[in-house]
């Protein structure tokens, strides 16, 4: 998987990344200049300790655009298998997609994300299950800053006592709000794409709330 | 190699020319190269004179305006599936137009380098491009306009509709077909056939003395009363009814109706003693009347798809613009536009009902806020609620979920035709605003009995409700309940009044405009919050304290108040006037900038406009003082 981050020779490196982040010009970077990787994982269940990833989908958002060619779609070989999740994800143990080992998938993913901001809908779960996988494979944990579209969306809402905000906005809520097609729900890349589209809408709404820089964005939607 | 996203891109592109010509494999390859972008309303895709991008664009969702920057002249509106920004790339030129998102849009950016090979390998693609470019150049509007690429008919269909025109001067046929009184009738008939007209004027020394129409030929000649060799003077209708050339369409219609004629002869000064300047026929009028409220109303009622209401809404906006330009009385304008907007909402509900199946019990769809008051002229947010008739406890859940589904469908439909979602989620699709009559009574009763700040705010939005669709009984019952409750809890009006005084003042100590301090609209004047809301709120509490039902409009409420309180007549009438003036001001601003008109850039206003605005502020202050005294609100600084 070739990515722009790799061209600069900046394969993800925590040390480099920390120094980059602390630079003040980095903090003030406008939203348009930020690199996002929007990702979603499909898993065998909701327990990061016990459950495993079935597939990972990710898209790159840069300069307000989603680059179709650079979408990442990985299907993982399964040892652990939870029959109950099949009806939701439609991923069978022996699917038609070529499958790769978890270690390989995680390596491809960390290469792909580089030092981008990682975005996801309720990303805490995806992050937990990814970290668990990285740990299992004896790899470095993800150190990227993570943003949650659920949290970011909360910040776009009107601040008024009249609006009873939900505690939890689902991806379907966002899709309805932004009128996005839900054809590929519950596939990793489909959800990642839907989340990326939602992110583009949200970023615009946030600008209306006076959020223009990386620093302000992190304040609004950073998790973990 | 393709991925799920590129497959979706391909699925979309496949439906439109020229992509439909590509083989599945080529389309797959091309789709992979696409970049997907989001443009906020008003966002630029490219500007006039800018160097070309490496991409051209296809509208996936939304619409994009192509304009000339200098004149603001609209060259084309591209919507779903239309391509733009391609020709300058093919020609190696700069952009000659600006492209801005007309509404929130999603675009596919396709790299020209990936597309170019197909132009030569596929004959159909090349032909399509040549044809589109050519048909565009043929179009007088987009002569030499690079950047547009849509098929010819589409351009014609999408061109802005004719403005509202009843008050526009008529455009008569300048080409006058005439003859002498001595001309034989058969020659007159031959002339009419040759020129393909329905009437001939009979001129004597340049002045109109008579007219011969098809009808005269039938009634006078064909029935045998006169031979075909008879002179025109014997057959013609005379004297000719003449009218001045500066006639409005309405006047012309009236004249035709009054005299039961279909041709009007226009002369220089309107008398038969001055030279003829033109002929106006019924057909001319019908053409001019292509855009009037009646025609629009009929069109709205005939729509079979929610989507087809969208262009009609555009026409309503044009109508509104015309009304304002011709300074029609604001109260009439509001009524007509509200009726049309209401008809659109009704249609959306009716169409949604068809899809959702018949309602289990009777219900009423309420419009709240500005729409409920009949003051929604521009496309603003939707505020609505739903009340359904009481049902047995065991059926309540099923009934509620039916209505929530219906409301969800309706609000989505409304959004798709330009009514944005309410940012505070005050919509019938919200379970809090979709209740049975009993639940509503309980809710509203709670507001009135324990009026805190939130309850007052909620009441102020909800109490302007108006029935848009459905049964009137539950609404009437709810209204009666509210009045009963307000009567029992007199303190409520006081709270409502004090709420009305919470609005920020429009001007500061030095009588300068107060502008927004931060956010998206920093340094703009918020005409809604600072000028219109104080009036609306004052009218509501005063009318409620008088227990007057059924008047929702702010201006009408003040007029009623003027009638009820002769000693405050002056003040209330000027409030009514101020309301109308401010609404008009806001609407004009909104039309000028293509938004809700709420936030006004002060440096864009003329001195006169500023003075006009400030004049209304004095009235606002006075009515607020009246509220403070009447409802004994101590905290208001008088």
């Amino acid at each position: 998987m070739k990515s722009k981050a790799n061209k600069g020779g900046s394969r993800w490196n925590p040390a480099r990344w920390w120094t980059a982040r602390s630079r003040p010009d980095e903090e003030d970077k406008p939203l348009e200049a930020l690199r996002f990787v929007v990702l979603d994982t499909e898993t065998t269940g909701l327990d990061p300790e016990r459950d495993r990833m079935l597939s990972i989908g990710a898209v790159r958002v840069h300069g307000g655009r989603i680059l179709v060619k650079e979408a990442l779609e990985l299907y993982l070989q399964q040892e652990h298998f939870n029959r109950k999740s099949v009806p939701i994800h439609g991923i069978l143990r022996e699917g038609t997609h070529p499958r790769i080992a978890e270690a390989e998938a995680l390596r491809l993913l960390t290469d792909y994300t580089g030092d981008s901001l990682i975005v996801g809908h309720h990303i805490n779960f995806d992050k937990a299950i990814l970290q668990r996988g990285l740990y299992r494979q004896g790899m470095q944990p993800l150190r990227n800053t993570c943003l949650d579209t659920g949290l970011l969306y909360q910040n776009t809402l009107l601040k008024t006592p009249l609006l009873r905000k939900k505690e939890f906005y689902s991806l379907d809520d966002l899709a309805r709000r932004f009128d996005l097609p839900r054809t590929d729900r519950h596939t990793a890349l489909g959800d990642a794409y839907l989340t990326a589209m939602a992110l583009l809408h949200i970023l615009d709404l946030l600008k209306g709330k006076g959020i223009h820089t990386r620093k302000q964005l992190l304040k609004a939607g950073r998790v973990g | 190699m393709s991925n799920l996203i590129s497959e979706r891109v391909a699925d979309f592109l496949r439906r439109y020319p020229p992509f439909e010509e590509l083989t599945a494999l080529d389309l797959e390859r091309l789709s992979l190269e696409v970049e997907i972008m989001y443009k906020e309303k008003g966002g630029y895709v490219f500007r006039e004179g800018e160097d070309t991008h490496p991409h051209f664009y296809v509208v996936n969702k939304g619409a994009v305006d192509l304009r000339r920057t200098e004149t603001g002249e609209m060259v084309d509106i591209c919507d779903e599936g239309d391509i733009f920004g391609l020709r300058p790339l093919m020609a190696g030129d700069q952009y000659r137009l600006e492209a801005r998102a007309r509404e929130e849009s999603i675009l596919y950016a396709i790299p020209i380098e990936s597309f170019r090979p197909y132009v030569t390998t596929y004959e159909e693609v090349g032909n399509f491009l040549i044809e589109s470019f050519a048909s565009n150049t043929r179009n007088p509007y987009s002569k030499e306009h690079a950047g547009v690429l849509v098929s010819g008919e589409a351009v014609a269909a999408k061109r802005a509709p004719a403005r509202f025109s009843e008050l526009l001067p008529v455009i008569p046929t300048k080409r006058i077909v005439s003859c002498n009184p001595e001309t034989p009738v058969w020659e007159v008939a031959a002339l009419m056939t040759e020129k393909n007209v329905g009437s001939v004027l009979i001129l004597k020394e340049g002045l109109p003395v008579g007219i011969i129409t098809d009808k005269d030929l039938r009634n006078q000649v064909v029935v045998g009363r006169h031979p075909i060799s008879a002179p025109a003077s014997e057959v013609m209708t005379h004297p000719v009814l003449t009218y001045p050339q500066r006639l409005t369409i309405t006047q012309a219609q009236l004249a035709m109706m009054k005299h039961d004629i279909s041709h009007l002869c226009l002369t220089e000064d309107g008398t038969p003693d001055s030279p003829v300047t033109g002929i106006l026929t019924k057909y001319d009028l019908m053409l001019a009347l292509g855009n009037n409220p009646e025609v629009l109303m009929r069109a709205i009622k005939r729509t079979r798809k929610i989507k087809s209401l969208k262009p009609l809404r555009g026409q309503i906006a044009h109508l509104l613009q015309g009304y304002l330009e011709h300074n029609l009385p604001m109260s009439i304008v509001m009524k007509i536009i509200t009726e049309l907007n209401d008809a659109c909402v009704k249609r959306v509900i009716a169409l949604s009902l068809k899809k959702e199946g018949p309602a289990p019990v009777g219900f009423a769809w309420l419009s709240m806020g500005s729409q409920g008051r009949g003051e929604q002229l521009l496309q603003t947010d939707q505020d609505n609620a739903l009340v359904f008739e009481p049902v047995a406890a065991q059926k309540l859940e099923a009934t509620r979920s039916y209505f929530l589904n219906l409301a969800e469908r309706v609000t989505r439909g409304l959004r798709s035709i330009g009514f944005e979602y309410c940012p505070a989620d005050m919509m019938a699709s919200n379970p809090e605003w979709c209740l049975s009559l009993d639940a509503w009574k309980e809710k509203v009763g709670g507001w009135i009995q324990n009026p805190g700040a939130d309850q007052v705010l909620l009441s102020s939005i909800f109490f302007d409700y108006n029935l848009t669709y459905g049964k009137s009984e539950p609404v009437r019952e709810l209204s009666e309940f509210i009045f009963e409750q307000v009567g029992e809890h007199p303190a409520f009006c006081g709270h409502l009044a004090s709420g009305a005084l919470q609005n920020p003042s429009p001007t500061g100590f030095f009588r300068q405009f107060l502008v927004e301090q931060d956010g998206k609209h920093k340094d703009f004047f918020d005409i809604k919050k600072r000028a219109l809301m104080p009036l609306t709120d004052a009218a509501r509490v005063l009318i409620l304290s008088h227990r007057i039902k059924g008047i929702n409009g702010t201006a009408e409420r003040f007029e009623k108040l003027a009638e009820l309180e002769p000693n405050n007549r002056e003040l209330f009438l000027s409030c009514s006037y101020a309301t109308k003036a401010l609404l008009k001001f806001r609407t004009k601003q909104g039309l000028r900038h293509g938004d809700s008109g709420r936030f006004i850039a002060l440096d864009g206003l003329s001195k006169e406009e500023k003075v006009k605005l400030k004049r209304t502020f004095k009235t606002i202050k006075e009515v607020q003082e009246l509220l403070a005294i009447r409802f004994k609100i101590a905290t208001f600084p008088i």
Side-chain angles (χ1 to χ4, degrees):
Chain A
M1 182 60 52
K2 214 171 121 185
S3 76
K4 281 195 180 160
N6 282 348
K7 274 185 206 157
S10 61
R11 175 174 283 213
W12 178 61
N13 172 338
R16 267 184 71 119
W17 178 71
W18 280 113
T19 48
R21 199 187 149 257
S22 54
R23 283 210 314 269
D25 56 326
E26 192 70 18
E27 298 276 281
D28 293 332
K29 249 191 181 174
L31 301 184
E32 293 76 27
L34 299 178
R35 293 181 159 278
F36 301 96
V37 165
V38 185
L39 65 79
D40 182 67
T41 57
E42 298 302 324
T43 60
T44 55
L46 293 173
D47 181 355
E49 297 295 319
R50 285 189 46 246
D51 285 304
R52 296 285 191 274
M53 286 177 276
L54 293 164
S55 62
I56 304 173
V59 286
R60 223 180 262 296
V61 174
H62 186 218
R65 295 181 179 207
I66 296 170
L67 312 178
V68 173
K69 190 166 46 176
E70 294 190 12
L72 185 70
E73 197 173 18
L74 304 170
Y75 291 88
L76 281 69
Q77 289 162 0
Q78 294 307 309
E79 271 78 56
H80 175 106
F81 187 68
N82 183 347
R83 191 164 293 281
K84 275 184 281 183
S85 68
V86 171
I88 301 176
H89 308 302
I91 299 176
L92 283 166
R93 198 167 179 177
E94 305 300 330
T96 53
H97 298 277
R99 295 179 174 275
I100 52 174
E102 187 176 67
E104 168 76 356
L106 289 169
R107 197 186 53 73
L108 285 171
L109 181 71
T110 45
D111 277 358
Y112 182 79
T113 51
D115 58 3
S116 300
L117 292 163
I118 292 183
V119 184
H121 199 69
H122 303 133
I123 186 71
N124 268 337
F125 172 74
D126 301 276
K127 192 181 174 188
I129 203 151
L130 282 170
Q131 299 290 39
R132 189 72 203 168
L134 288 163
Y135 174 79
R136 219 170 15 242
Q137 302 299 335
M139 296 165 75
Q140 290 269 13
L142 277 176
R143 305 274 299 266
N144 302 46
T145 307
C146 292
L147 293 165
D148 182 22
T149 37
L151 202 57
L152 286 172
Y153 178 66
Q154 292 261 4
N155 278 286
T156 67
L157 297 174
L158 207 62
K159 289 193 178 52
T160 159
L162 303 185
L163 178 63
R164 262 187 226 173
K165 286 189 196 176
K166 285 199 213 175
E167 223 148 88
F168 198 77
Y169 286 92
S170 69
L171 193 50
D172 287 312
D173 285 334
L174 262 59
R176 258 196 296 274
R177 169 66 180 80
F178 299 124
D179 200 13
L180 301 170
R182 280 179 279 171
T183 33
D184 298 310
R185 279 289 274 130
H186 303 303
T187 66
L189 186 55
D191 280 357
Y193 174 62
L194 194 57
T195 310
M197 291 302 283
L199 176 71
L200 292 179
H201 283 83
I202 289 170
L203 289 178
D204 176 52
L205 289 174
L206 287 174
K207 277 190 239 165
K209 301 272 173 190
I211 292 177
H212 297 285
T213 64
R214 178 188 155 107
K215 191 177 173 182
Q216 291 168 323
L217 183 69
L218 295 199
K219 207 177 150 199
R222 184 176 187 171
V223 291
Chain B
M1 187 197 118
S2 69
N3 62 46
L4 190 92
I5 305 175
S6 72
E7 281 165 25
R8 292 292 161 258
V9 172
D11 286 346
F12 176 81
L13 291 178
R14 188 173 296 131
R15 293 171 15 215
Y16 299 95
F19 306 106
E20 59 189 8
E21 307 290 350
L22 302 187
T23 62
L25 191 66
D26 279 342
L27 190 61
E28 196 176 282
R29 281 197 198 121
L30 184 67
S31 301
L32 208 53
E33 303 298 325
V34 166
E35 295 180 10
I36 301 168
M37 54 198 276
Y38 165 87
K39 277 285 161 198
E40 72 283 1
K41 184 176 175 181
Y44 282 96
V45 184
F46 50 76
R47 291 167 198 264
E48 196 174 312
E50 196 176 310
D51 284 338
T52 50
H53 302 169
H55 302 90
F56 65 95
Y57 302 91
V58 179
V59 181
N60 169 235
K61 215 173 85 186
V64 171
D65 286 344
L66 299 176
R67 290 173 192 270
R68 286 169 170 280
T69 306
E70 204 159 296
T71 56
E73 175 202 357
M74 179 84 75
V75 177
D76 199 3
I77 301 170
C78 299
D79 50 27
E80 278 171 32
D82 286 344
I83 298 178
F84 65 96
L86 177 56
R87 194 157 64 165
L89 301 191
M90 303 298 280
D93 202 357
Q94 287 177 330
Y95 290 117
R96 301 251 192 96
L97 293 167
E98 63 173 30
R100 286 178 79 176
R102 182 182 183 80
E103 51 197 74
E104 195 177 72
S105 301
I106 292 166
L107 309 175
Y108 289 165
I110 302 179
I112 183 67
E113 287 321 317
S114 314
F115 182 68
R116 209 188 289 272
Y118 302 127
V119 180
T120 45
T121 52
Y122 285 89
E123 200 184 328
E124 300 88 347
V125 173
N127 285 346
F128 172 79
L129 296 186
I130 290 164
E131 261 174 46
S132 337
F133 291 152
S135 68
N136 262 352
T137 2
R138 230 181 13 238
N139 185 327
Y141 288 98
S142 42
K143 207 172 184 175
E144 77 187 33
H145 281 155
V148 195
L149 176 58
V150 278
S151 59
E153 318 94 276
V155 175
K158 273 182 275 170
R159 202 143 297 297
R163 287 266 186 81
F164 154 74
S165 48
E166 274 96 328
L167 298 178
L168 290 181
V170 293
I171 305 159
T173 311
K174 287 274 163 50
R175 192 175 50 123
I176 301 157
V177 180
S178 65
C179 64
N180 299 320
E182 294 79 35
T183 316
V185 176
W186 68 265
E187 227 175 87
V188 174
L191 185 68
M192 286 166 73
T193 307
E194 185 201 327
K195 303 277 185 192
N196 196 19
V197 290
S199 67
V200 166
L201 269 180
I202 317 300
L203 300 182
K204 194 175 181 183
E205 288 161 343
L207 300 179
V209 293
I211 186 167
I212 294 179
T213 65
D214 284 335
K215 201 169 149 191
D216 296 319
L217 292 178
R218 184 177 75 222
N219 294 348
Q220 303 289 331
V221 185
V222 183
V223 295
R225 213 169 282 168
H226 295 277
I228 58 166
S229 55
S233 55
E234 283 181 20
V235 175
M236 69 187 185
T237 305
H238 66 104
V240 195
L241 294 168
T242 54
Y243 292 88
Q245 14 179 357
R246 300 198 66 87
L247 204 60
T248 67
I249 287 178
T250 311
Q251 285 171 317
Q253 269 181 316
L254 284 173
M256 287 184 189
M257 274 156 60
K258 192 169 165 193
H259 301 287
D260 193 22
I261 51 178
S262 53
H263 297 76
L264 296 183
C265 173
L266 308 182
T267 62
E268 240 174 277
D269 66 3
T271 68
D273 301 317
S274 62
V276 177
T277 56
I279 285 273
L280 185 82
T281 67
K282 248 190 188 151
Y283 180 64
D284 294 329
L285 277 187
M286 269 159 65
L287 272 185
L289 283 174
N291 189 2
N292 74 3
E294 228 184 298
V295 172
L296 276 176
M297 191 61 118
R298 229 178 299 156
I300 290 168
K301 286 183 179 163
R302 267 205 306 256
T303 48
R304 282 160 180 273
K305 274 186 185 162
I306 292 178
K307 219 177 168 183
S308 35
L309 284 168
K310 202 173 165 187
L312 294 173
R313 298 256 302 149
Q315 272 178 279
I316 297 174
H318 275 276
L319 195 67
L320 174 61
Q321 193 159 11
Y323 283 145
L324 292 178
E325 271 168 22
H326 291 91
N327 249 331
L328 241 69
M330 208 52 195
S331 44
I332 297 177
V333 176
M334 285 195 304
K335 278 204 184 93
I336 297 176
I337 301 296
T338 304
E339 280 304 321
L340 290 171
N341 277 338
D342 245 29
C344 288
V345 178
K346 277 197 180 101
R347 196 68 202 145
V348 170
I349 299 173
L351 291 171
S352 305
L353 265 175
K354 230 181 238 170
K355 287 236 161 128
E356 208 67 46
V361 289
F363 75 100
W365 183 277
L366 306 178
S367 299
M368 303 185 293
S370 60
Q371 210 190 345
R373 287 193 301 274
E375 288 164 2
Q376 191 175 53
L377 296 175
L378 291 165
Q379 315 201 347
T380 50
D381 300 341
Q382 40 172 317
D383 300 305
N384 43 49
L386 194 149
V387 42
F388 54 90
E389 287 174 341
V391 289
Q394 69 268 25
K395 281 192 184 160
L396 185 63
E397 254 335 288
T399 312
R400 261 175 73 101
S401 86
Y402 167 87
F403 282 115
L404 277 172
N405 284 339
L406 174 71
E408 165 96 34
R409 195 183 278 280
V410 174
T411 50
R412 201 171 55 225
L414 287 174
R415 182 181 194 253
S416 73
I417 62 165
F419 292 96
E420 278 301 318
Y421 286 142
C422 168
D425 204 18
M426 285 192 193
M427 299 187 290
S429 51
N430 177 347
E432 308 252 336
W433 297 90
C434 179
L435 300 172
S436 71
L437 181 59
D438 300 335
W440 268 118
K441 280 185 183 170
E442 197 178 315
K443 191 179 183 108
V444 174
W447 294 343
I448 297 174
Q449 286 151 28
N450 308 300
D454 297 355
Q455 285 77 3
V456 166
L457 202 51
L458 286 165
S459 316
S460 70
I461 293 163
F462 184 71
F463 284 9
D464 292 333
Y465 64 74
N466 198 10
L467 175 68
T468 303
Y469 190 98
K471 287 192 153 183
S472 56
E473 289 83 35
V475 187
R476 205 170 43 233
E477 211 180 316
L478 187 58
S479 300
E480 264 157 30
F481 176 77
I482 290 175
F483 278 96
E484 221 171 82
Q485 288 288 309
V486 170
E488 283 170 26
H489 300 87
F492 178 73
C493 277
H495 285 278
L496 207 54
S498 104
L501 300 180
Q502 299 298 315
N503 293 301
S505 160
T507 47
F509 185 73
F510 297 105
R511 315 227 331 115
Q512 83 280 24
F513 285 93
L514 287 179
V515 293
E516 299 312 294
Q517 293 302 311
D518 47 25
K520 198 176 186 173
H521 301 286
K522 190 170 184 297
D523 298 328
F524 280 78
F525 180 71
D526 184 345
I527 193 173
K528 178 185 174 189
K529 196 169 73 183
R530 292 182 187 270
L532 276 163
M533 262 171 53
L535 286 168
T536 309
D537 288 348
R540 183 184 308 110
V541 61
L542 287 167
I543 210 86
L544 203 59
S545 71
H546 278 286
R547 297 171 151 239
I548 302 294
K549 274 177 241 175
I551 305 180
N552 274 349
T554 304
E556 285 90 348
R557 280 177 172 170
F558 278 121
E559 271 154 34
K560 184 75 188 172
L561 288 166
E563 205 180 296
L564 292 169
E565 298 180 28
N567 51 334
N568 287 321
R569 196 183 140 78
E570 285 287 291
L571 172 60
F572 288 145
L573 285 182
S574 67
C575 283
S576 167
Y577 176 78
T579 308
K580 286 187 266 190
L582 285 165
L583 269 175
K584 188 168 180 174
F585 195 86
R586 175 177 174 182
T587 310
K588 277 189 170 172
Q589 286 287 323
L591 285 172
R592 195 183 298 169
H593 303 291
D595 55 20
S596 73
R598 173 170 175 180
F599 295 96
I600 291 169
L602 289 171
D603 41 11
L605 296 185
S606 67
K607 173 106 179 138
E608 190 197 343
E609 286 174 315
K610 282 188 196 168
V611 170
K612 258 190 192 164
L613 263 184
K614 280 197 178 161
R615 211 175 291 150
T616 65
F617 298 163
K618 195 165 161 264
T619 311
I620 295 173
K621 196 142 177 67
E622 281 173 13
V623 75
Q624 287 191 325
E625 285 166 9
L626 179 129
L627 281 188
I629 294 166
R630 180 168 299 176
F631 296 99
K632 303 186 185 64
I633 292 150
T635 51
F636 186 65
I638 297 176

